[in-house]
Amino acid sequence: MRSGVWSDKEWECIKSEIPVLDRTVNGKRLVYLDNAASTLKAKSVIDKMADFYLYHYSNIHRAVHTLASEATMAYEQAREKIGRFLNAQLGEVVFTSGTTMGINLLVNSFVRSGLLREGDVVLLTQVEHHANLVPWLRASKFHGFRIEYIQADEKGVILKEAIEKATSVKPKVVSITAQSNVTGQELPLNFVREAFPNAILIIDGAQLIPHKKIDVKALDIDFLVFSAHKMLGPTGVGVLYGKRELLERMEPFLYGGEMIDRVTFEDATFNVPPYKFEAGTPHIAGVVGFGYTLELLENLDLEKIEKQVEILSRYLIDSLSRLDFLELYGPLDDSHRSLVSFNVQGVHPHDVSHVLDQMFGVATRSGHHCAQPLMSILKRGSKIDFPNSTVRASVYFYNTFDDIDTLVEGLKFVRKMFSE
Amino acid sequence: MRSGVWSDKEWECIKSEIPVLDRTVNGKRLVYLDNAASTLKAKSVIDKMADFYLYHYSNIHRAVHTLASEATMAYEQAREKIGRFLNAQLGEVVFTSGTTMGINLLVNSFVRSGLLREGDVVLLTQVEHHANLVPWLRASKFHGFRIEYIQADEKGVILKEAIEKATSVKPKVVSITAQSNVTGQELPLNFVREAFPNAILIIDGAQLIPHKKIDVKALDIDFLVFSAHKMLGPTGVGVLYGKRELLERMEPFLYGGEMIDRVTFEDATFNVPPYKFEAGTPHIAGVVGFGYTLELLENLDLEKIEKQVEILSRYLIDSLSRLDFLELYGPLDDSHRSLVSFNVQGVHPHDVSHVLDQMFGVATRSGHHCAQPLMSILKRGSKIDFPNSTVRASVYFYNTFDDIDTLVEGLKFVRKMFSE
Amino acid sequence: MIYSEFIMDYSKLKKFVGKIENATKVEEGKNLSCGDEVTLYLLLDGNRIVDAKFEGHGCTISQASTNVMIEQIIGKTKEEALELLRNAENMILGKEFNEKLLGPILNFYDVKNYPMRVKCFLLPWKTLEMALK
Amino acid sequence: MIYSEFIMDYSKLKKFVGKIENATKVEEGKNLSCGDEVTLYLLLDGNRIVDAKFEGHGCTISQASTNVMIEQIIGKTKEEALELLRNAENMILGKEFNEKLLGPILNFYDVKNYPMRVKCFLLPWKTLEMALK
Ligand SMILES: Cc1ncc(COP(=O)(O)O)c(C=O)c1O
Ligand SMILES: Cc1ncc(COP(=O)(O)O)c(C=O)c1O
């Protein structure tokens, strides 16, 4: 059973785009519910990338020959597509190797540019992925700025009251995730912007953007980071959006070829944004491939994708809520999107995931999901013997109600198997 | 005319691996002589990468399901292959996004770990690519260590006497290229190691490794960086080799998922090398693809590749030396490998490259080759009105004598066209 | 499936769970990728392991592996335990090993086919290695 | 081919090469990717460009473009020069432009098909833009 927003024709197209959905795993149909870690890949995108690699590839920017022109145009066209997608100017779209790199770039550049000094406060939430936590933590040790947190409640939920309360720390920088990769909560970005009108606002869009567009101008975001691989795109590519005036004031992060203006044996000056932040040979084919990916998603219709993920999330939450041997985390209301973290009472998440995979072909993720400190919060609120980790099931637009039903069936089996 | 080390069968294989060689550019057969910037790509590698993306892909390391196992094994097998290639242990092979990133990692990590302090001396050569120059320059401004240079002569050549002379500055770190991307000179690495027995020795292998193996143990190298895209591999992937004991003492560069040990809201501790330096979702498909690439190169036979590049380089240097309207740079002797930089008297490099491309299908590179300060040295030694840039022709194992003959023909045409 | 009766039973064993107050050696081990932790207590008499216990939490494989390991090393000399360790590691990494030596540890043979679970099996053994170093 | 007789001839023109000692405005422009540089000297009388010269080095396209630009802007007001600039930019970026206004600049029309040379054409124009800002 499929259900949702897709017409038969659209569904045929989706099925043919994601060939691994026809694969069997351990004799079962593959049910891929690990989308929050990374999504599956689309045939037309991979085919076009292969064509690019084999027939139009060369290094970019610096040469006048035909292949170099073709490659450079393909690369810059991808930047245009992403600029339109985010409602940003071209000079504001920097390609990175991923979300993690984007945040490290910001932290280091802020420190080098004097945008962050001793005594300044950086405000995070307690539900951040390590990518938006550890870079700040370590830099704060070296450079003496302070880190404060917007508190999560016992279910790992960030309430508006907690956001309001945090205004008292007067942060210079607010860096928060648009959606938690553990609790699934979409954070109220508008509310955050209003609560901190003068702070530099950084949004980690890694989880939200794959299924919900973000308009950087409408939300008045200063920086936004995300990864291509979580939205059907190639690995090794990410985007950093930054407001032009801020990018211009900032010292680069990586130094090397193409990002310079003038270099002597004594010092160097730099190119304009975005090039100033793209040192060395970039991941040319990946960027080009991400452009193709965005095109595919837009052809499928971004709004339909958003809607479909919403429908599937609802069905997932409702289905799991009916299993009384599970403990679920996160808000479980309408702000809860695309993924659910849970535990099977008395069974370790690794065992749950392993059995789901081996017996049902269901791919889920088990572990701390790169959010160790949040695990200690969930442990406090937990009514079971919390194993410091959870199982996480996450959907994307190519999943079905059937997939979720198979998960439920699998969980019942797991429960039975381990309680004997 | 082909000539060189390849048998008919091997040559058939090479031709079928690099399909773009059959492409025409502006009505001419493509003659690709821009290999030093980036090489062409091989069909079997791209096909295998596509298969990986479409049928075996998932995020790695953190999940127990089947796709995650397959992807993780493929990723770690690539590490094994590269470890064997370099004669390094697995824990010493770190994946990066490229050479540029590798050097930036080292500079930043050295500073954070106290391996480089105020007053310390870092020794470079005057022929370094911006990637091995600008990161040091900028960090020296912020952190007060000093930079010294091994001097190049008027042709841009690094003589042994200049290396010996530089021992007087007592460098803590020596960071040098194994081969200049402008002069083509292979530097005497053994001699450098002996001249600086106690310095931390970093080798930029970006240009040399594609056609000549480096054994990190035999040369007693502390760190080695290079990029996959310059040796038939995918974009966005590089390798940092580091001696285990040094990697263990070093603070990470990028912070995020998978590189941590334990994270609290106050601080973090780190995983062991190489994971400690691979924060976030890596370029999984790229790394896997680089593994396939190395396999292909090894099947073709690395020694034959080295030999073929040597034969072609010799033919290239000899052919260009016979053109009296050219000025050539670099040593031009046996230490001169794989690429030649030159100028056509009275014609700007861009015009040379443009006409070669348009009229002869020949791809060369024109510009400062990310080595601006070296241009001022070449200018000093130049007997012509030096245009602050050069044309560069560079070969790889799939080039032929014919390719070089076409280049020569093209240059004669250029000369004629611009002297009318 | 790796969840044989043997492994399921051993994962629930309580016999070796606990502290040894006068332990000669206490070693903490953990599996970074899942947060599993084990604290291993060893009581040595000269060169011989005379008692061993553990605390911690983990999945079925790591719990069962810990219990079986402790059962096997009690009474052995350090060298014998290390010999066992080498063979257990070789088994799980698909290398050559001495079947006779391993005895009940052979029940984990299948785990080698699940690379992500190899770490779970190895957790107590890696901890033992550190403890005996 | 973009190397028409017109472009080849204009690239060699010496008429506009040199300094203007009492220039109202001196502006340096450069093309990062190739090291080409131009220093533009403008002599303004109120709002009108009464003389212009340049120094620097560069490729055929940038040299020819500089010469043609200078020839065209001498005698024009700032506003007229900026209007010309907008149209020249639009032409080279493949957007709509006024053919009549551009006159001899139309000889560079083909350059738009060579994205890597667009920068060469634009070098003097970008420098002019900065100078008039
Ligand atoms: C000698 C040398 N070092 C470093 C680099 C930078 O490599 P990448 O652009 O792949 O980071 C290059 C290539 O451009 C090079 O030739
Ligand atoms: C919320 C969030 N932030 C950051 C990241 C890190 O992204 P990447 O691993 O692509 O750098 C992830 C994904 O793992 C995530 O879910």
Side-chain angles (χ1 to χ4, degrees):
Chain A
M1 193 184 63
R2 196 175 73 245
S3 301
V5 304
W6 304 123
S7 70
D8 285 349
K9 217 175 121 216
E10 287 166 334
W11 183 244
E12 275 317 304
C13 164
I14 290 170
K15 288 279 285 181
S16 67
E17 278 288 9
I18 319 280
V20 72
L21 290 177
D22 278 337
R23 198 187 136 164
T24 56
V25 154
N26 308 311
K28 311 286 177 206
R29 176 177 77 86
L30 170 69
V31 173
Y32 189 76
L33 294 172
D34 193 18
N35 293 290
S38 201
T39 64
L40 301 172
K41 305 304 169 212
K43 187 155 180 1
S44 71
V45 171
I46 301 300
D47 284 353
K48 283 188 202 161
M49 272 176 71
D51 183 72
F52 174 77
Y53 260 137
L54 292 176
Y55 295 99
H56 307 279
Y57 174 79
S58 123
N59 212 327
I60 57 171
H61 291 319
R62 282 156 291 182
V64 299
H65 61 76
T66 303
L67 285 179
S69 299
E70 291 178 6
T72 304
M73 286 210 294
Y75 185 85
E76 292 300 333
Q77 275 163 10
R79 199 191 306 276
E80 284 168 30
K81 280 180 213 159
I82 285 147
R84 275 196 301 273
F85 172 66
L86 299 173
N87 191 21
Q89 299 163 37
L90 290 189
E92 300 179 320
V93 176
V94 176
F95 289 112
T96 65
S97 62
T99 305
T100 301
M101 157 78 160
I103 295 169
N104 279 274
L105 185 161
L106 292 174
V107 174
N108 282 276
S109 177
F110 283 5
V111 168
R112 289 180 196 164
S113 318
L115 279 171
L116 259 188
R117 292 172 200 275
E118 209 170 323
D120 285 341
V121 173
V122 173
L123 183 67
L124 312 174
T125 77
Q126 285 191 320
V127 303
E128 298 308 318
H129 187 278
H130 289 165
N132 192 27
L133 171 57
V134 188
W136 300 108
L137 274 177
R138 291 304 289 168
S140 78
K141 301 287 164 204
F142 291 118
H143 303 286
F145 57 84
R146 230 170 65 232
I147 295 183
E148 299 285 349
Y149 296 94
I150 300 175
Q151 307 287 313
D153 76 4
E154 286 197 330
K155 284 280 175 197
V157 178
I158 303 288
L159 299 172
K160 286 193 176 172
E161 297 82 72
I163 297 170
E164 258 162 8
K165 210 170 138 207
T167 55
S168 65
V169 304
K170 302 207 185 325
K172 175 121 180 230
V173 174
V174 177
S175 187
I176 61 168
T177 190
Q179 185 193 354
S180 159
N181 70 317
V182 175
T183 67
Q185 184 190 8
E186 179 184 353
L187 270 67
L189 298 188
N190 255 320
F191 187 84
V192 171
R193 174 79 285 183
E194 280 163 27
F196 304 94
N198 301 317
I200 296 177
L201 180 60
I202 303 171
I203 301 297
D204 172 356
Q207 283 301 334
L208 191 69
I209 285 204
H211 57 89
K212 189 172 176 187
K213 234 173 126 124
I214 290 183
D215 180 324
V216 293
K217 291 283 179 298
L219 280 168
D220 190 24
I221 291 169
D222 294 300
F223 297 97
L224 169 70
V225 290
F226 60 102
S227 303
H229 72 90
K230 290 190 200 280
M231 50 196 294
L232 232 63
T235 56
V237 192
V239 171
L240 163 70
Y241 157 81
K243 271 194 193 149
R244 179 99 198 187
E245 78 209 58
L246 284 162
L247 291 180
E248 269 166 6
R249 282 163 58 196
M250 283 159 61
E251 172 79 13
F253 176 43
L254 300 181
Y255 305 98
E258 199 53 36
M259 54 72 70
I260 54 88
D261 169 3
R262 206 182 275 262
V263 179
T264 65
F265 287 125
E266 286 76 42
D267 205 352
T269 57
F270 307 112
N271 202 334
V272 295
Y275 306 109
K276 151 174 152 180
F277 296 100
E278 294 181 3
T281 305
H283 182 7
I284 303 168
V287 165
V288 170
F290 189 30
Y292 299 142
T293 310
L294 206 54
E295 218 169 82
L296 174 64
L297 295 177
E298 282 170 347
N299 285 342
L300 283 172
D301 189 336
L302 294 172
E303 281 179 26
K304 279 194 181 172
I305 291 173
E306 180 179 342
K307 187 79 205 153
Q308 183 69 0
V309 168
E310 223 171 86
I311 293 173
L312 290 166
S313 311
R314 198 66 258 155
Y315 188 75
L316 176 65
I317 295 171
D318 291 347
S319 301
L320 297 188
S321 296
R322 275 194 291 273
L323 303 179
D324 60 5
F325 54 87
L326 295 187
E327 180 169 84
L328 308 190
Y329 311 102
L332 306 178
D333 62 13
D334 279 354
S335 71
H336 197 133
R337 292 174 167 273
S338 71
L339 63 92
V340 181
S341 289
F342 59 89
N343 268 309
V344 179
Q345 278 179 41
V347 191
H348 191 281
H350 269 12
D351 294 320
V352 177
S353 272
H354 193 109
V355 174
L356 286 174
D357 175 66
Q358 289 295 308
M359 307 291 289
F360 295 87
V362 177
T364 55
R365 192 142 287 238
S366 52
H368 53 60
H369 314 293
C370 297
Q372 283 185 8
L374 177 55
M375 291 298 128
S376 56
I377 291 180
L378 296 182
K379 189 183 185 91
R380 246 183 284 142
S382 173
K383 307 238 160 2
I384 61 173
D385 182 15
F386 189 81
N388 283 340
S389 52
T390 75
V391 183
R392 183 181 68 188
S394 50
V395 296
Y396 205 29
F397 65 84
Y398 43 67
N399 286 114
T400 61
F401 285 13
D402 263 357
D403 290 350
I404 294 166
D405 292 343
T406 307
L407 169 68
V408 167
E409 193 193 338
L411 288 171
K412 287 179 180 162
F413 178 91
V414 166
R415 165 66 169 182
K416 207 156 151 267
M417 170 177 164
F418 282 88
S419 56
E420 263 158 14
Chain B
M1 193 186 63
R2 197 174 74 245
S3 300
V5 304
W6 305 124
S7 71
D8 286 349
K9 217 175 123 216
E10 286 166 335
W11 183 244
E12 276 317 304
C13 163
I14 290 170
K15 289 278 284 179
S16 66
E17 278 289 8
I18 320 280
V20 74
L21 291 177
D22 280 336
R23 197 187 137 165
T24 56
V25 154
N26 308 312
K28 312 285 176 206
R29 177 177 77 85
L30 170 69
V31 173
Y32 189 77
L33 294 172
D34 192 19
N35 294 288
S38 200
T39 64
L40 301 172
K41 306 303 170 212
K43 187 154 182 359
S44 71
V45 170
I46 301 300
D47 284 353
K48 283 188 201 161
M49 270 176 73
D51 182 74
F52 174 76
Y53 259 137
L54 292 175
Y55 296 99
H56 307 280
Y57 175 78
S58 123
N59 212 327
I60 57 171
H61 290 321
R62 282 157 289 185
V64 300
H65 61 77
T66 303
L67 285 178
S69 299
E70 291 178 5
T72 304
M73 284 209 294
Y75 185 86
E76 292 300 331
Q77 275 162 9
R79 200 192 304 277
E80 282 168 31
K81 280 180 213 158
I82 286 147
R84 275 195 302 273
F85 171 67
L86 300 173
N87 191 21
Q89 300 164 37
L90 290 190
E92 300 179 320
V93 177
V94 176
F95 288 113
T96 66
S97 61
T99 305
T100 302
M101 157 80 158
I103 295 169
N104 278 276
L105 184 162
L106 292 175
V107 174
N108 282 277
S109 176
F110 283 6
V111 168
R112 289 179 195 163
S113 318
L115 279 170
L116 259 188
R117 293 173 200 276
E118 209 171 322
D120 284 343
V121 173
V122 173
L123 184 66
L124 312 174
T125 78
Q126 286 190 320
V127 303
E128 297 309 318
H129 187 279
H130 290 165
N132 191 29
L133 172 57
V134 188
W136 299 108
L137 273 177
R138 291 304 290 169
S140 77
K141 303 287 163 202
F142 292 118
H143 303 286
F145 56 83
R146 229 171 66 231
I147 295 183
E148 299 284 350
Y149 296 94
I150 299 176
Q151 308 286 314
D153 76 5
E154 287 197 329
K155 285 278 173 199
V157 178
I158 302 287
L159 299 172
K160 285 194 176 171
E161 296 82 72
I163 297 170
E164 258 162 7
K165 212 173 137 206
T167 55
S168 65
V169 304
K170 302 207 184 327
K172 176 122 180 228
V173 173
V174 176
S175 187
I176 61 168
T177 190
Q179 185 193 354
S180 160
N181 70 315
V182 175
T183 67
Q185 184 190 9
E186 179 184 353
L187 271 67
L189 298 187
N190 255 319
F191 187 83
V192 171
R193 174 78 286 181
E194 280 162 26
F196 303 96
N198 301 317
I200 297 179
L201 180 59
I202 303 172
I203 301 298
D204 171 357
Q207 283 301 335
L208 190 69
I209 285 205
H211 56 90
K212 189 172 176 188
K213 235 173 123 126
I214 291 182
D215 180 324
V216 293
K217 291 282 179 300
L219 280 168
D220 191 22
I221 292 169
D222 295 300
F223 297 97
L224 170 70
V225 289
F226 60 102
S227 302
H229 72 89
K230 289 190 201 281
M231 50 195 294
L232 233 63
T235 57
V237 192
V239 171
L240 163 70
Y241 157 82
K243 272 194 192 149
R244 177 101 201 184
E245 78 210 59
L246 283 162
L247 291 180
E248 269 165 6
R249 281 164 58 197
M250 282 158 61
E251 172 80 13
F253 176 44
L254 301 181
Y255 306 97
E258 198 54 35
M259 54 73 70
I260 54 89
D261 169 3
R262 205 181 278 260
V263 178
T264 66
F265 287 125
E266 287 77 41
D267 206 352
T269 57
F270 308 111
N271 201 333
V272 294
Y275 307 109
K276 152 173 150 181
F277 296 100
E278 294 181 3
T281 304
H283 182 7
I284 303 168
V287 165
V288 170
F290 190 31
Y292 299 142
T293 310
L294 205 55
E295 218 169 83
L296 173 64
L297 295 177
E298 282 171 347
N299 285 342
L300 283 172
D301 190 336
L302 294 172
E303 282 180 24
K304 280 194 181 172
I305 290 173
E306 180 181 341
K307 188 79 203 152
Q308 182 70 1
V309 168
E310 223 170 84
I311 292 172
L312 290 165
S313 312
R314 200 62 258 157
Y315 188 74
L316 176 64
I317 295 171
D318 291 347
S319 302
L320 297 187
S321 296
R322 275 195 291 273
L323 302 179
D324 60 6
F325 55 85
L326 295 188
E327 180 169 84
L328 307 190
Y329 311 103
L332 306 177
D333 63 11
D334 280 354
S335 71
H336 198 133
R337 292 174 168 272
S338 70
L339 63 93
V340 182
S341 289
F342 59 90
N343 267 308
V344 178
Q345 280 179 38
V347 191
H348 191 282
H350 270 11
D351 295 320
V352 177
S353 273
H354 193 110
V355 174
L356 287 174
D357 175 64
Q358 290 294 308
M359 306 291 289
F360 296 86
V362 177
T364 56
R365 190 142 288 237
S366 53
H368 53 58
H369 315 294
C370 297
Q372 283 186 6
L374 177 55
M375 291 299 128
S376 56
I377 292 180
L378 296 182
K379 188 185 187 88
R380 245 183 285 142
S382 173
K383 306 239 165 350
I384 60 172
D385 182 15
F386 189 82
N388 284 339
S389 53
T390 75
V391 183
R392 183 181 68 187
S394 50
V395 296
Y396 206 28
F397 65 84
Y398 42 67
N399 286 114
T400 61
F401 285 13
D402 264 356
D403 291 349
I404 294 166
D405 292 342
T406 307
L407 170 68
V408 167
E409 194 193 334
L411 288 172
K412 287 179 179 163
F413 178 90
V414 166
R415 165 65 170 181
K416 209 156 148 266
M417 169 176 165
F418 282 86
S419 55
E420 266 158 11
Chain C
M1 274 282 274
I2 52 178
Y3 297 98
S4 61
E5 228 181 285
F6 177 90
I7 286 182
M8 293 297 267
D9 286 351
Y10 264 85
S11 76
K12 294 176 203 146
L13 208 66
K14 290 280 164 272
K15 191 166 136 192
F16 300 118
V17 175
K19 262 198 182 66
I20 300 182
E21 290 300 340
N22 58 337
T24 326
K25 192 81 205 172
V26 181
E27 190 72 41
E28 274 183 56
K30 58 186 171 260
N31 183 339
L32 301 182
S33 65
C34 56
D36 285 3
E37 294 183 338
V38 61
T39 307
L40 185 65
Y41 299 87
L42 296 181
L43 188 66
L44 291 160
D45 181 4
N47 214 22
R48 194 167 295 276
I49 301 166
V50 292
D51 198 9
K53 280 201 153 45
F54 81 102
E55 290 180 308
H57 56 259
C59 63
T60 301
I61 305 300
S62 78
Q63 298 293 298
S65 175
T66 310
N67 277 310
V68 174
M69 178 188 87
I70 289 182
E71 191 174 75
Q72 293 303 309
I73 61 171
I74 290 176
K76 289 216 164 49
T77 64
K78 271 194 195 182
E79 289 70 32
E80 288 165 348
L82 285 170
E83 176 75 10
L84 202 63
L85 182 155
R86 257 190 306 281
N87 278 278
E89 275 193 356
N90 282 349
M91 172 189 82
I92 214 74
L93 299 174
K95 300 185 190 158
E96 270 185 50
F97 65 95
N98 184 339
E99 285 200 24
K100 287 206 205 96
L101 214 64
L102 288 187
I105 300 169
L106 279 176
N107 282 292
F108 294 91
Y109 183 75
D110 261 7
V111 174
K112 82 172 194 317
N113 299 320
Y114 304 93
M116 308 321 245
R117 307 310 299 274
V118 165
K119 290 180 193 171
C120 310
F121 169 80
L122 284 176
L123 177 60
W125 292 100
K126 290 281 179 196
T127 313
L128 178 68
E129 190 173 16
M130 289 186 297
L132 294 182
K133 255 208 313 221
Chain D
M1 271 282 274
I2 53 177
Y3 297 98
S4 60
E5 229 179 286
F6 178 90
I7 287 182
M8 293 297 267
D9 286 350
Y10 264 84
S11 76
K12 292 174 204 147
L13 208 64
K14 290 280 165 270
K15 193 166 136 191
F16 301 117
V17 175
K19 262 196 182 68
I20 299 182
E21 290 301 340
N22 59 336
T24 327
K25 192 81 203 173
V26 181
E27 189 72 43
E28 274 182 55
K30 56 188 173 256
N31 183 339
L32 301 181
S33 66
C34 56
D36 285 3
E37 292 182 339
V38 63
T39 307
L40 185 64
Y41 300 87
L42 295 182
L43 187 67
L44 290 161
D45 179 6
N47 212 23
R48 194 167 296 275
I49 301 167
V50 292
D51 197 11
K53 280 201 153 45
F54 81 101
E55 290 179 311
H57 56 259
C59 63
T60 300
I61 304 301
S62 78
Q63 297 294 297
S65 175
T66 310
N67 278 310
V68 174
M69 179 188 86
I70 289 182
E71 193 174 70
Q72 293 301 309
I73 59 170
I74 291 177
K76 289 216 164 53
T77 64
K78 271 194 195 180
E79 290 69 32
E80 287 165 349
L82 286 169
E83 175 74 9
L84 202 63
L85 183 154
R86 258 190 306 280
N87 278 278
E89 276 193 356
N90 280 351
M91 174 190 81
I92 214 74
L93 299 174
K95 299 185 190 157
E96 270 184 49
F97 66 96
N98 184 340
E99 284 200 24
K100 288 207 206 95
L101 215 63
L102 289 186
I105 300 168
L106 278 175
N107 282 292
F108 294 90
Y109 183 74
D110 260 8
V111 175
K112 81 172 194 318
N113 299 321
Y114 304 94
M116 306 324 242
R117 305 310 297 275
V118 165
K119 289 181 195 169
C120 310
F121 170 79
L122 284 176
L123 176 59
W125 293 100
K126 290 278 180 199
T127 314
L128 177 68
E129 188 173 19
M130 288 187 297
L132 295 182
K133 256 206 314 219

